[in-house]
Amino acid sequence: MAVKIVHLYPEEMNLYGDKGNVICLKKRLEARNYKVDVINVGMGERIPDFDILFIGGGQDKEMSIVRRDVRRKAEELSYYIHSGKTVLAICGGYQLLGEYYKTASAQVIELSGALPFFTEGAKQRMIGNVVFESPFGKIVGFENHSGKTYIANEFCPLGCVISGFGNNGEDGTEGVLYKNTFGTYAHGPVLPKNPIFADEIIKRALQVNELPNIDDKFENLCHNSLVSRFT
């Protein structure tokens, strides 16, 4: 049986090399002798059953293109997320999982509503390298967003900001972690820079506590160097 990775909106939502996260997951699985199928799902297509669902980032233009389609996919997304399927959503993809995006001109764009958070546009862009502490150690990435995301009090952020802006530049939170759904503003792509984070996603998808070791010498050197540089 192959591990199924669904890449949602691969054409529309793929800023700053976010597709590299799919490549990273595939390579790390194959290094452990798993067969991997990557399934691209675009506009108007149903989301098939999966082991990992990935959604990358997009600018306002791309968000406006997919927003109606993501509303049509809202029931599917909500079902998969609340049933504990493994999901990674980056920046605009992260915002799509929330209830709405309120633009700087006060236009309210309804989104999937799969999770109880919302995003408000701001005049100031939050751009630069970000480092945050997560349950899996320090995570480093690159953020570039004007949206400020506010998660519900009963939901856990993915981490606490050490350097950078995170969800909104105000409360010190970064991303969201709900069951096996990970939302984050960290581009980069984020997973090659953070092998422990990548493996946490894989473990949850495979429902295992441990994975066979692979040689992460250079990945760890990169990660540690970037964390030291940006903190």
Side-chain angles (χ1 to χ4, degrees):
M1 293 288 289
V3 178
K4 293 181 180 179
I5 300 176
V6 165
H7 189 173
L8 184 58
Y9 305 133
E11 299 299 323
E12 295 82 5
M13 308 290 284
N14 184 32
L15 277 182
Y16 306 116
D18 284 340
K19 185 179 179 179
N21 292 303
V22 174
I23 296 171
C24 176
L25 291 168
K26 184 175 185 289
K27 293 296 185 182
R28 294 185 73 81
L29 281 159
E30 289 175 339
R32 295 172 168 114
N33 298 315
Y34 288 96
K35 182 182 177 183
V36 180
D37 286 340
V38 177
I39 304 164
N40 293 329
V41 175
M43 304 276 287
E45 297 178 325
R46 295 289 302 272
I47 301 174
D49 193 20
F50 58 84
D51 297 295
I52 301 172
L53 172 69
F54 174 73
I55 318 173
Q59 297 179 337
D60 289 353
K61 177 182 177 181
E62 287 76 26
M63 292 281 284
S64 67
I65 291 171
V66 305
R67 65 187 179 93
R68 289 186 178 88
D69 190 73
V70 82
R71 287 290 299 159
R72 289 191 285 268
K73 290 179 169 65
E75 187 174 340
E76 293 174 272
L77 283 169
S78 182
Y79 169 78
Y80 284 127
I81 287 170
H82 292 288
S83 64
K85 285 287 191 173
T86 303
V87 177
L88 173 62
I90 308 290
C91 197
Y94 168 29
Q95 294 172 358
L96 288 177
L97 301 183
E99 296 170 340
Y100 64 86
Y101 183 99
K102 185 176 182 180
T103 69
S105 60
Q107 178 189 6
V108 176
I109 300 171
E110 292 188 3
L111 300 171
S112 73
L115 289 175
F117 66 80
F118 62 91
T119 303
E120 294 185 345
K123 293 181 179 179
Q124 176 192 5
R125 291 202 72 81
M126 290 164 276
I127 183 170
N129 295 290
V130 60
V131 181
F132 57 97
E133 189 72 57
S134 80
F136 330 110
K138 291 182 175 67
I139 296 176
V140 59
F142 174 79
E143 60 182 336
N144 184 356
H145 55 106
S146 60
K148 293 186 173 185
T149 294
Y150 301 91
I151 61 175
N153 291 332
E154 66 269 24
F155 275 69
C156 293
L158 178 57
C160 297
V161 174
I162 299 171
S163 176
F165 297 94
N167 278 334
N168 49 55
E170 300 167 7
D171 59 19
T173 65
E174 158 52 29
V176 69
L177 175 56
Y178 170 73
K179 292 189 176 181
N180 295 318
T181 291
F182 303 80
T184 178
Y185 275 109
H187 293 285
V190 67
L191 295 186
K193 298 177 180 179
N194 301 277
I196 293 177
F197 183 27
D199 280 355
E200 181 65 25
I201 290 170
I202 291 172
K203 284 190 287 187
R204 294 190 183 214
L206 299 179
Q207 300 181 37
V208 298
N209 293 322
E210 300 292 337
L211 290 169
N213 289 329
I214 56 177
D215 185 1
D216 277 331
K217 176 183 177 181
F218 293 110
E219 288 82 354
N220 288 328
L221 282 172
C222 174
H223 172 269
N224 294 337
S225 173
L226 291 172
V227 169
S228 297
R229 181 179 176 184
F230 300 135
T231 56

